[in-house]
Amino acid sequence: MSKKNEEYDFKWCPGCGDFGVRRALEMAMIDRLEETGLPIENNVVVAGIGCSGNLVHLLEGSQPYGFHGIHGRSLPISLGVKMARPELNVVVVAGDGDFLSIGGEHIGPQAARNLNVCAVIMDNGVYGLTKGQSSPTTKLGEITSSTPFGKIESQLNPLELYLTLGVSFIASGFSGQVRPLAKLITQGMEHKGFSIVHVQSPCTTYNDTFELLKGNVQKGIEPGLWEVPEDHDTSDKGAAQQLLQQGGVPVGVLYDDTFRPSMDQQVEQMWARAEPKTVQELVDAFEF
Amino acid sequence: MEMRDFVVRFAGEGGQGVVTSAEGLAQAATQVGYHALTFATFPSQILGGPTWTQARIAVDAILSPGDDVDVLVAFNQDAYDEHNSEVRDEGVIIFNSNEFQLEGDSRGFGLPFDELARSTGNNRAANMVIIGALAHLVDMPQRYLEEFVSKRFTRGRSGDEEIIRSNIEAMTLGRDHISESGLALGALAAPNPPDFAQIMLKGNEALALGALAGGLDFYVGYPISPATTILIYMERNLVGEGKFAHQVSSEIESITAILGAGFAGKKAMTATAGPGFSLMSEGLGLGWIAEIPLVVVDVQRGGPATGLPTKTEQSDLMACMFPAHGDVRMPVIAVGTVEECFYGAIKALTWSERYQGPVILMTEMSLAERVQNIAKPDLSQVEDRRRQVYEGTNGYHRYAGLELSPMPIPGNPGAYVANGSEHDDMGDTTHLASRHIQMTERRFGKLKLLEEDEYERDNVEESIAIMPWGGSKGPALEAYNQLKASGVPVGWYYTMYLNPLPPKLLEELKKKDLVIVPELNYQGQFASILRSQGVKAEAITQYTGLPFKVRDLVKRVTEVTEAVRKEAAGV
């Protein structure tokens, strides 16, 4: 949506974390344009459903291509776009419900393929657009509209999940820190393989965690956010797992495997082993 | 008596060579100028389990697997018990005397397949022993078979000569053994080889080949019977620069990945069967609303859920035409022969590109595994038709108006949002009634672009007509030919295009007193769709997991036509 579209009437709530994520993504795409000279139409943003999915319509300025698909399927749609046209920069935007609940089955396969897309996940620990139901990242015991007596499912730690599944680039960020988040997204986009930038993007209406993340000295709330130490070895998965043991929300790159070839690279290598035949040769093979 | 065709059924355990024997016979026969068609049915397991394959060999083009079995080749006792009642009284039953003995059946002849094969020094020549015996039964000259063997095994390898020798010896042994029995079927008329080049292949191979000829760029799939062979063929052959074929992790990934590829400008396809098709429901709705070209092949099998995975049925038509919630009506092409598998695939891709949306290509188990000789396609006549592409500047309104509009391709100017929510002409989400009306009419209006008047018609002046669809075409046409020859007043119509129907065909059908639709499902799905379009249609149904027999169709069509005429005469 390059300029105000009167007809488009969806709005994020005031103060929604997704505003920061949107700005960071716009910055990362503009940085890429300036760096590579490739036009903005070289970017495709594949969105899921929910508050997060609407990001694709709310991007300001010059417009990338967008695909606002169906609930939970942004990853396999991005697989199709990327493997059809590996020269495109493909970004997935999704929320915690969309990506980790209904779409959870697609993370493992893309990690195994090392699909060369960057997924930016807006985690607010709640289903916002359907008005406040519990999600995989909602805390155990939390009372929500769908857990009237408290959530009995344990809270998922997405970063541990990504590490276990073999995602080759994992970063964690906060929507309130736009410039640093843009940098993480840029790193994710530049990574050759499957990258996830998991962002804490609080829902000001149903699950406002800004204070818990940033802390509040007057109320004696310690900040949940902490910087990944500069000396953290991002090639060391064990070290990343260790870091996560301290709880809270890390900010920075946790893991970066720079050696594994991406899916499009592997396919290109595979073609060297294949012996492509023309359709005429294939037809001739059935002749008798 | 000179015969124009004969039918052999091979029955035994999976892994005993039942399928290879039937296909070997078909190859040998087509090599010397006969026509061949096989019908296979498998157990849903890898090793063992009862399995059978039928091969029909004929002087003229073949329409169906054949009602009556002339020869049963029984690999074990169970196979004999199960199938001997389908062998006609004057038929022959060749049984594997290395496995069991048969007494009290005058049609029976024991042949020690394995032992005879071993005596040639080639343990794998058992099917050649059988083919030799079969050739004797129909008085097929030995030189035909020798020709086939030398051609088949001349592969430029050092062992070729020995393999040819042992195979010919095996055939001779089979022939000599059965000739002592005095059993014979009659003489098969000399072949009448066509004067054009032919290929012999399975329906699924023809479909995959057609898709490649039609310019397919991108294929993903998930293993499921009976569609898996298409995936395997694509992974081997859809390779190289700009191409992609891959096994993904579910049918949900299949449909959504081809949505991405179709959006990105590629000709994209997947193939599946019932359960996988059900999983694609939401994705197909997305393709319809976001206007993305793609093809989904449904290789039908039997029943809902897992149902009958290895049997044939035509019970997915409603699911294919109306696969998703929210007012959709997908274009459907249903193929009825191995040749149509090839050309139907090309047409499905062309349609999806032409109207910018999903197209369903329906086939079925009995076609997927059928081996048949067909005219070799002339690729110079095949066109790789692509969508209208937008070539303007940015600020384009992709979904403006009621007509099809050129499609921008990512990487180029014209960026828009392909949207699964109802949208305005830029692709942004909207809830305005006026937009939903516009976009709904736009989507349905595009179907007009697919109206093509291509269909078969015969005896058009008759007020009652037969109109099968898909794989029931063969048996129905054979039945129709018999009915016509015996003077039963009935007409014939057939098309691959089930939605939209060729407009002139629909006009003709509406004028009939009755259109009889033979179809393999309980509800009479196509008849019901025809009725909804103003045609007086009634189905002849069957739901056994097997194709129609010609004899049954002749009987049932005759009964229906007589009943209609009596009613019209007020009797």
Side-chain angles (χ1 to χ4, degrees):
Chain A
M1 206 166 68
S2 52
K3 53 185 178 231
K4 186 82 185 128
N5 181 351
E6 300 278 315
E7 242 186 276
Y8 180 73
D9 53 8
F10 178 85
K11 287 183 185 72
W12 282 325
C13 306
C16 176
D18 293 353
F19 284 105
V21 181
R22 180 193 72 186
R23 186 70 202 122
L25 178 58
E26 286 166 359
M27 288 163 88
M29 286 195 295
I30 287 163
D31 286 351
R32 182 176 182 273
L33 183 149
E34 284 168 359
E35 193 129 313
T36 64
L38 291 167
I40 195 81
E41 298 85 26
N42 191 259
N43 298 282
V44 177
V45 180
V46 180
I49 295 297
C51 294
S52 61
N54 275 282
L55 183 146
V56 69
H57 301 288
L58 292 163
L59 289 165
E60 293 179 344
S62 55
Q63 294 289 293
Y65 274 79
F67 197 137
H68 191 177
I70 44 178
H71 199 26
R73 313 304 169 198
S74 49
L75 273 182
I77 290 173
S78 79
L79 167 75
V81 177
K82 184 68 187 182
M83 296 317 297
R85 304 281 303 282
E87 72 275 18
L88 298 172
N89 178 48
V90 182
V91 177
V92 165
V93 294
D96 47 306
D98 191 77
F99 196 71
L100 295 166
S101 184
I102 186 171
E105 72 195 59
H106 303 297
I107 305 170
Q110 311 327 317
R113 295 167 185 144
N114 208 16
L115 176 69
N116 197 357
V117 304
C118 175
V120 179
I121 308 309
M122 286 156 264
D123 184 353
N124 57 11
V126 74
Y127 285 79
L129 205 49
T130 48
K131 303 193 187 300
Q133 293 77 37
S134 84
S135 90
T137 52
T138 303
K139 283 199 188 86
L140 178 70
E142 195 90 347
I143 289 172
T144 72
S145 67
S146 62
T147 53
F149 310 111
K151 189 189 179 201
I152 59 169
E153 291 162 348
S154 58
Q155 182 185 5
L156 179 76
N157 185 328
L159 300 171
E160 281 180 11
L161 176 74
Y162 304 151
L163 273 172
T164 307
L165 290 175
V167 177
S168 62
F169 177 98
I170 303 161
S172 173
F174 172 49
S175 65
Q177 303 169 349
V178 176
R179 203 4 113 180
L181 180 57
K183 195 167 162 258
L184 291 177
I185 295 172
T186 294
Q187 283 177 273
M189 293 190 320
E190 284 173 353
H191 172 74
K192 295 274 177 280
F194 188 28
S195 59
I196 299 180
V197 180
H198 193 92
V199 188
Q200 292 300 317
S201 178
C203 173
T204 44
T205 302
Y206 295 108
N207 190 25
D208 192 342
T209 52
F210 273 111
E211 216 171 47
L212 290 173
L213 290 162
K214 291 193 289 192
N216 185 328
V217 185
Q218 280 157 355
K219 294 184 187 168
I221 299 171
E222 289 289 312
L225 297 169
W226 49 269
E227 295 280 332
V228 172
E230 268 180 33
D231 62 354
H232 170 60
D233 178 1
T234 55
S235 70
D236 185 344
K237 194 182 267 192
Q241 266 151 351
Q242 273 294 300
L243 275 181
L244 291 177
Q245 298 313 307
Q246 59 183 284
V249 175
V251 176
V253 177
L254 286 162
Y255 183 62
D256 184 6
D257 181 343
T258 55
F259 290 101
R260 260 179 85 192
S262 63
M263 187 182 197
D264 45 316
Q265 289 170 331
Q266 291 183 73
V267 166
E268 226 180 277
Q269 288 162 15
M270 195 163 72
W271 291 163
R273 300 196 292 275
E275 288 169 24
K277 294 189 181 71
T278 63
V279 178
Q280 188 64 59
E281 287 169 333
L282 293 170
V283 172
D284 291 344
F286 290 107
E287 205 173 3
F288 60 89
Chain B
M1 186 190 75
E2 197 173 59
M3 301 157 61
R4 307 278 311 166
D5 77 333
F6 77 107
V7 174
V8 186
R9 184 176 294 183
F10 300 84
E13 288 269 309
Q16 280 184 321
V18 170
V19 180
T20 49
S21 299
E23 290 176 2
L25 174 66
Q27 275 172 1
T30 50
Q31 198 83 79
V32 298
Y34 289 110
H35 292 271
L37 180 150
T38 71
F39 171 75
T41 172
F42 310 109
S44 192
Q45 61 193 60
I46 302 303
L47 288 173
T51 182
W52 59 275
T53 303
Q54 189 157 307
R56 187 174 187 187
I57 309 299
V59 178
D60 313 298
I62 305 173
L63 296 170
S64 78
D67 289 359
D68 294 312
V69 177
D70 295 303
V71 186
L72 170 66
V73 179
F75 285 74
N76 58 27
Q77 179 79 49
D78 288 347
Y80 171 80
D81 295 343
E82 174 74 21
H83 298 278
N84 84 80
S85 65
E86 294 199 50
V87 181
R88 61 187 178 89
D89 293 344
E90 306 78 30
V92 174
I93 296 169
I94 300 175
F95 63 92
N96 185 3
S97 56
N98 288 135
E99 276 282 328
F100 70 106
Q101 291 306 317
L102 183 61
E103 276 160 29
D105 191 330
S106 60
R107 302 167 298 178
F109 176 72
L111 192 63
F113 312 155
D114 302 326
E115 195 184 305
L116 291 176
R118 267 198 304 277
S119 74
T120 68
N122 181 354
N123 288 347
R124 298 173 65 185
N127 56 350
M128 292 296 171
V129 175
I130 299 166
I131 290 171
L134 291 169
H136 171 78
L137 288 175
V138 296
D139 205 16
M140 193 188 282
Q142 172 86 359
R143 67 179 168 82
Y144 287 174
L145 299 178
E146 290 181 7
E147 237 177 79
F148 158 66
V149 170
S150 355
K151 200 165 166 185
R152 166 91 187 263
F153 294 106
T154 304
R155 296 164 299 186
R157 298 184 199 156
S158 58
D160 284 1
E161 221 166 281
E162 171 54 23
I163 290 171
I164 292 169
R165 185 206 58 75
S166 59
N167 275 294
I168 290 177
E169 191 186 330
M171 284 192 307
T172 310
L173 284 169
R175 175 180 285 267
D176 292 349
H177 262 72
I178 205 162
S179 69
E180 290 162 17
S181 71
L183 290 166
L185 287 168
L188 185 64
N192 181 18
D195 57 1
F196 47 82
Q198 296 186 91
I199 57 175
M200 189 161 81
L201 71 179
K202 290 185 179 175
N204 271 1
E205 289 168 335
L207 192 151
L209 205 51
L212 294 179
L216 184 71
D217 303 303
F218 189 102
Y219 183 96
V220 291
Y222 185 78
I224 184 167
S225 297
T228 312
T229 48
I230 299 174
L231 170 65
I232 290 168
Y233 192 84
M234 291 302 181
E235 289 194 287
R236 195 161 290 270
N237 295 307
L238 187 61
V239 296
E241 182 81 33
K243 308 286 183 192
F244 183 73
H246 198 69
Q247 176 182 329
V248 290
S249 67
S250 70
E251 286 88 351
I252 291 177
E253 283 209 341
S254 297
I255 183 68
T256 45
I258 63 171
L259 280 159
F263 164 78
K266 297 288 187 174
K267 275 190 168 179
M269 184 173 105
T270 185
T272 186
F277 191 82
S278 296
L279 287 180
M280 294 185 188
S281 175
E282 191 187 15
L284 283 166
L286 174 56
W288 173 264
I289 191 170
E291 303 188 31
I292 294 172
L294 59 90
V295 172
V296 173
V297 180
D298 176 25
V299 190
Q300 295 168 96
R301 53 195 230 184
T306 306
L308 297 168
T310 57
K311 298 289 175 186
T312 208
E313 204 161 86
Q314 301 178 285
S315 48
D316 293 356
L317 182 57
M318 289 291 189
C320 285
M321 207 179 286
F322 310 104
H325 62 271
D327 243 358
V328 305
R329 189 182 178 95
M330 294 289 166
V332 173
I333 295 175
V335 292
T337 64
V338 172
E339 198 158 20
E340 287 178 6
C341 288
F342 182 86
Y343 292 102
I346 298 168
K347 183 63 87 175
L349 287 165
T350 302
W351 273 19
S352 71
E353 294 280 316
R354 188 192 298 160
Y355 101 111
Q356 296 176 15
V359 172
I360 314 300
L361 178 60
M362 299 184 75
T363 173
E364 55 209 68
M365 164 68 192
S366 63
L367 272 175
E369 292 294 329
R370 172 187 301 177
V371 177
Q372 192 173 11
N373 58 308
I374 63 169
K376 184 176 174 180
D378 178 359
L379 293 182
S380 69
Q381 300 299 309
V382 175
E383 284 179 283
D384 178 358
R385 300 210 173 209
R386 303 260 161 179
R387 70 195 71 172
Q388 282 183 52
V389 169
Y390 176 71
E391 285 166 338
T393 52
N394 278 325
Y396 176 58
H397 287 196
R398 157 80 174 117
Y399 300 108
L402 287 167
E403 307 286 326
L404 181 85
S405 37
M407 195 167 164
I409 306 299
N412 304 294
Y416 71 105
V417 179
N419 196 347
S421 303
E422 193 58 286
H423 39 263
D424 60 17
D425 50 15
M426 299 157 72
D428 285 327
T429 306
T430 177
H431 303 93
L432 290 180
S434 59
R435 281 295 187 200
H436 188 45
I437 293 167
Q438 176 210 336
M439 293 300 163
T440 302
E441 290 175 359
R442 175 187 159 97
R443 292 188 284 266
F444 278 96
K446 289 192 303 171
L447 290 176
K448 268 206 104 50
L449 299 169
L450 306 180
E451 291 179 349
E452 289 186 52
D453 277 314
E454 263 179 46
Y455 58 97
E456 295 176 15
R457 62 204 285 272
D458 192 44
N459 260 355
V460 294
E461 64 288 348
E462 295 300 342
S463 62
I464 299 177
I466 307 178
M467 183 170 163
W469 64 278
S472 290
K473 178 189 186 182
L477 184 54
E478 199 171 326
Y480 168 74
N481 289 339
Q482 287 181 20
L483 289 162
K484 190 181 170 187
S486 57
V488 176
V490 64
W492 167 265
Y493 291 92
Y494 173 81
T495 183
M496 289 199 289
Y497 309 150
L498 303 191
N499 187 46
L501 282 168
K504 282 184 183 156
L505 169 63
L506 186 56
E507 282 317 304
E508 283 197 62
L509 295 178
K510 279 182 182 169
K511 292 181 193 137
K512 301 291 171 193
D513 290 339
L514 181 64
V515 175
I516 302 168
V517 182
E519 51 184 324
L520 299 174
N521 60 63
Y522 178 83
Q523 300 181 82
Q525 296 186 11
F526 188 48
S528 170
I529 286 167
L530 284 175
R531 282 196 297 275
S532 76
Q533 292 177 76
V535 177
K536 293 189 266 310
E538 288 297 334
I540 288 179
T541 63
Q542 177 180 301
Y543 30 94
T544 54
L546 294 170
F548 281 113
K549 289 203 167 188
V550 174
R551 181 190 304 117
D552 294 342
L553 284 179
V554 168
K555 184 165 165 274
R556 291 172 74 179
V557 171
T558 307
E559 282 167 7
V560 174
T561 51
E562 275 171 6
V564 171
R565 270 170 234 288
K566 271 184 193 157
E567 201 179 291
V571 179

